[in-house]
Amino acid sequence: MKRYVIIGSGVAGVTAAEELRRRDADAKITIFNNEPFPNYFRAALAFYIKDIVSEEELFGKPPEWAVDNHIHLVNDKVHVIKIGEKEIVTEKGYVEPYDALLIATGASAFKPPVNGASLDGVMTYRTLVCVNRTLDFIRKRRAKTAVLVGGGILGIEMAENLHSLGLDVTVLERGSRIVELLFDETGSSIVKSEMERDGVTVMTSVETDEITGENGIVTGVTLKSGETIPADLVIFAIGVRPVTTILENTLIKVDRGLVVDERMKTNVDGVYGAGDVTLRHENGEMKPCRTWLTAARQGITAAINMTGGDEKFTEIFFNASHVYKSFYAIVGKFNSAEGDGVSHLVLPCCEGGYSKLVFENKKLVGGQFIGAIRHAWQVYHALEQNLDIDPATLSIPEGEELIKGLPALPNHII
Amino acid sequence: MNEKTFSEELRAWADINLLNCIGVDECMKACPVADPSLTINDLNESTRDGGKVSAESLKFATDCVQCGRCDPVCPTGASRSVMALRLKEKMVDRGSAPDYHSKYFALKGYDKSWVRRKGFSHAMKTKWKFSDRERARLLAKHIDKEDFAKSEYLFYFGCYIFSKEESTVQTLAIAEKLGIDYEVLGGLTTCCGWPSLMAGRTDEAEIYHKRLSEDVKKSDPKYVVTGCAECFSSLRKIKEKYNMAFTPLTTPMWLNMFDDKLGLLKSDEKVTYHDSCHISRKAGLPKPARDLLGKMNDIVEMKRSGAKDTYCCGYWGLGGDPKIIDGIARSRFEEAKETGADTMIVECITCLEQFNGKEKENPGVKVRDIVEFVYSRMNIE
């Protein structure tokens, strides 16, 4: 009987466990989880904050999942990985040997070492624990104003959540525009004006100097320019860092993240990685995981290789969710700038929306979408089937109709 | 050309959609049939390969009519309707799939010899052939035909040639008056495959699709016209799958092509219009019926209407929980009443069957078939 150990019960870990079980009915599969909750839908936290989804509804697996799939789910923190002995030891002293180990410890929100970062009311936005803490704080302190440090996708999402709870929200972005990693300038300005229409303040090209406070409780944010913005609540949403503490003092290679190859293997035999903890080395490039879908698929790839298969991870990047109050989706090489063989095709879209296809040497390679996202799936299917799509062969639809010349969506044709 | 079977395609689509699900529950809130106690994690676990299927999920799989209301509300663009089809397939694996085809043939007069292409169809054909009603004789010659003349238009009536005689006869009468070149495909032998699909028997549905494509090919039409939204879906499917040249049309799309010849009479009466899920939402065609009706009457829209928001009639012909079906019909009649219109027009035969059957319990709004409505307003010289 093979023994598989998974550290982390995020989407990469549990998806890997399911794939392991599918491939090996008899194996012993153990997941170590150090969050006080089972696997949950992280991306649904915004819906939880707005009270649309309850805490129970957040959980990604039914309560009987572990039992039904014969998976040992252990709520304990892994303390040491003994590579030589091929076993792990937990903080409670539990020893579990493995034939293959998957590290899927994820990432944690980054709080920069600025003055005042440890004041009460300075939060991050990543886990159910942070969210519950933030909601408690708002209730207890009757917080009225909030500052979001970071104008990335999570910062914007939290800004919307807090705005919907009735707080006055200011977003601080260091760069010259918000959601820079996801959209081009047009996209960013669409999101920005939508926020400003709602009364959310968006400040760009500003840097946080320190967090001010009184009696241990936050009172505002001082910018490098000297300006102070009063706030009852400050949330950092400036990115995440892979959780690699258990890998310290091991031979497993870490370089800003757990280093894995395209088979999700680390440098140590029998040890694999998947999800946000990893940095994938591919053709000299380092690729972080970043999204829910990628994490899940990496979990599957890792599981296939752990059970003796040979599977390379090939990514068709796809990410979709809310940006402020609109749907958005980004696919493939969504953010290549024009020129050097790259051309763009802007589609007529819904009101207040924005859709753009990206071509490299006249071949479709990706797209970005705000508002209507069904075309994003068409692009996904085209990339998945590796179709050679020339912009000249596309018939551009009015509004939200499907693009003719790209694969039709399965659900539109059943 | 796609060589994968429908079932293989479905599995691949469902897998990627499942991985993309972020659990925000929007699909279930939009669903007309799901029980509020059914959770996303249960549903996902039931749907995925190797996951345990719960009783609650099975109930949902049986009740889902593939209206697709769940799809546009998903922030990741994942398709719950595709996942639901995959879940339906799992009913077959578990041996708990309803046998809608037996029901289908029973409904139309079951005879086990249907496999030999006899039974009810044959009986009806014989009976209608010698009927003293002209329209019965007209339809009789089209039932379960094997030979088809080449024609520009092929009217695909499928099984509703039996259930909605008025609509089919009137369609043909309009075609005659317009003097177009047409052929008719109807009866039990050329099922659109929907009953199989709804029972999760995807492979069986694919056999029907293939057979339908072969029958269509025999007539080699430029257009295939149908009044049933499920048939329309299957036509779109076979066009894509078998790379066929014909254009599928709904009856309003066809009638719009001849609007200058129909001589439609105008009226001041306000009417409301019930969208078909498969036509308005999935095919993205909410306009043709509205354009056609707009030439005769003012349309007052129901609260939930159009491509994104239209609400299912709750019915697809054979399966489903009667309590749910009745409830949906009631809510739809109420919405129609709220518009102040006395007439609700439907373009899909299935919606028509559903609402016709519920008119007595929901008085105040008259339900009319779009073909019959046009027929009554035509003034062809």
Side-chain angles (χ1 to χ4, degrees), chain A residues 15 18 22 41 43-44 47 52-53 56-57 59-62 65 68-69 292-293 296-297 300 318 320-322 327-328 373-374 377 380-381 400-401 408 410-414, chain B residues 6 13 16 19-26 29 40-42 44-45 48-50 52 71-79 81-82 85 194 197 233 236-237 240 281-282 308:
Chain A
T15 313
E18 287 172 350
R22 223 178 347 232
F41 289 116
F47 287 71
I52 300 168
V53 168
E56 287 72 41
E57 284 172 330
F59 298 135
K61 301 291 164 195
W65 174 81
D68 286 345
N69 292 286
W292 179 267
L293 178 62
R297 296 175 81 181
I300 291 174
F318 185 95
S321 184
H322 280 99
F327 284 174
Y328 81 86
I373 59 170
R374 54 166 73 169
W377 275 100
Y380 177 88
H381 286 294
E400 287 189 52
E401 278 168 48
N411 50 325
H412 287 269
I413 205 137
I414 281 166
Chain B
F6 191 10
W13 298 331
I16 181 79
L19 293 182
N20 233 319
C21 172
I22 53 168
V24 297
D25 210 28
E26 295 286 281
K29 288 200 179 82
I40 291 291
N41 57 34
D42 179 350
N44 286 356
E45 178 67 7
R48 78 173 177 89
D49 244 3
K52 190 178 167 190
D71 290 344
V73 298
C74 176
T76 73
S79 167
S81 68
V82 164
L85 266 187
W194 203 257
L197 207 55
S233 289
R236 291 172 68 230
K237 177 87 193 160
E240 159 119 348
R281 180 164 31 238
K282 293 195 175 178
K308 250 187 193 162

Side-chain angles (χ1 to χ4, degrees), chain A residues 225-241:
Chain A
S225 61
E227 188 185 348
T228 296
I229 300 154
D232 302 328
L233 171 71
V234 173
I235 295 180
F236 279 102
I238 53 169
V240 295
R241 297 288 181 270

Side-chain angles (χ1 to χ4, degrees), chain A residues 296-323:
Chain A
R297 296 175 81 181
Q298 286 187 349
I300 291 174
T301 305
I304 294 173
N305 292 316
M306 286 164 81
T307 47
D310 181 26
E311 176 92 354
K312 283 185 186 175
F313 181 75
T314 46
E315 180 175 41
I316 296 154
F317 184 81
F318 185 95
N319 177 235
S321 184
H322 280 99
V323 58

Side-chain angles (χ1 to χ4, degrees), chain A residues 60-194:
Chain A
K61 301 291 164 195
E64 315 79 24
W65 174 81
V67 175
D68 286 345
N69 292 286
H70 311 291
I71 289 165
H72 301 260
L73 193 56
V74 185
N75 199 315
D76 196 353
K77 196 170 178 178
V78 173
H79 185 47
V80 188
I81 301 170
K82 293 184 175 168
I83 291 167
E85 290 87 342
K86 282 199 151 187
E87 62 185 32
I88 60 103
V89 183
T90 68
E91 277 186 346
K92 290 178 191 161
Y94 187 94
V95 179
E96 184 71 37
Y98 63 80
D99 295 300
L101 170 70
L102 178 68
I103 296 161
T105 45
S108 62
F110 178 62
K111 244 190 201 185
V114 294
N115 281 340
S118 55
L119 287 165
D120 201 5
V122 181
M123 309 283 185
T124 52
Y125 177 39
R126 170 83 186 168
T127 62
L128 185 52
V129 175
C130 330
V131 164
N132 280 337
R133 207 183 285 150
T134 307
L135 291 175
D136 273 353
F137 183 86
I138 294 172
R139 245 172 259 134
K140 264 189 214 143
R141 299 272 162 202
R142 295 195 177 82
K144 298 268 185 312
T145 54
V147 167
L148 254 300
V149 185
I153 190 69
L154 273 188
I156 303 303
E157 184 179 294
M158 195 53 171
E160 200 247 312
N161 298 339
L162 295 176
H163 173 76
S164 75
L165 294 180
L167 278 79
D168 261 333
V169 182
T170 305
V171 175
L172 307 179
E173 166 59 40
R174 196 162 63 160
S176 61
R177 57 188 176 89
I178 55 168
V179 277
E180 194 175 12
L181 289 177
L182 277 75
F183 307 116
D184 63 13
E185 280 178 32
T186 315
S188 289
S189 66
I190 286 173
V191 178
K192 188 172 176 231
S193 44
E194 200 185 344

